[in-house]
Amino acid sequence: MGKLSTHVLDIAQGKPGAGVKVALFSVGAEGKTLLKMDITNADGRCGAPLLEGDSMKVGQYELVFNAGDYFAAQGIELPAPRFIDLVTLAFGIAHAEQNYHVPLVVSPWSYSTYRGS
């Protein structure tokens, strides 16, 4: 079986995004369901896969990162309201037997993602 993982890269400071709150939701016809919440470690990663084994299913998902709170805690001066605050990455898992790595590359002014393995 595959697994889902993530990490946060702070490109404003050139370091891992440690201490970022991350929420994982499944998204279906009935709405969103919170599956897991975690906080990134010193390496900017969650300590364990967000999904693995029987919990890894084909479907639509969202990862929500509390990037604004992270940058505020770093002492970075941010406008009010924040330009980047909650970053939501909506993605699909088409092959539950594969590994999906969905990282967030972020600054207070931009973000991007990609599918890793």
Side-chain angles (χ1 to χ4, degrees), residues 72-89:
Q74 299 295 304
I76 295 175
E77 188 174 329
L78 302 170
R82 297 168 179 164
F83 183 71
I84 300 292
D85 194 19
L86 295 176
V87 175
T88 300
L89 302 179

Side-chain angles (χ1 to χ4, degrees), residues 8-9 26 29 42 64 67-68 74 97 117:
V8 178
L9 299 170
S26 65
V64 179
Q74 299 295 304
E97 71 282 359
S117 59

Side-chain angles (χ1 to χ4, degrees), residues 26-44:
S26 65
V27 181
E30 66 284 347
K32 296 181 189 180
T33 302
L34 177 65
L35 300 177
K36 187 169 187 177
M37 293 190 71
D38 206 342
I39 298 176
T40 57
N41 62 22
D43 194 34

Side-chain angles (χ1 to χ4, degrees), residues 1 4 34 45 48 59 64 66 80:
M1 291 297 289
L4 172 65
L34 177 65
R45 300 176 184 276
V64 179
N66 287 33

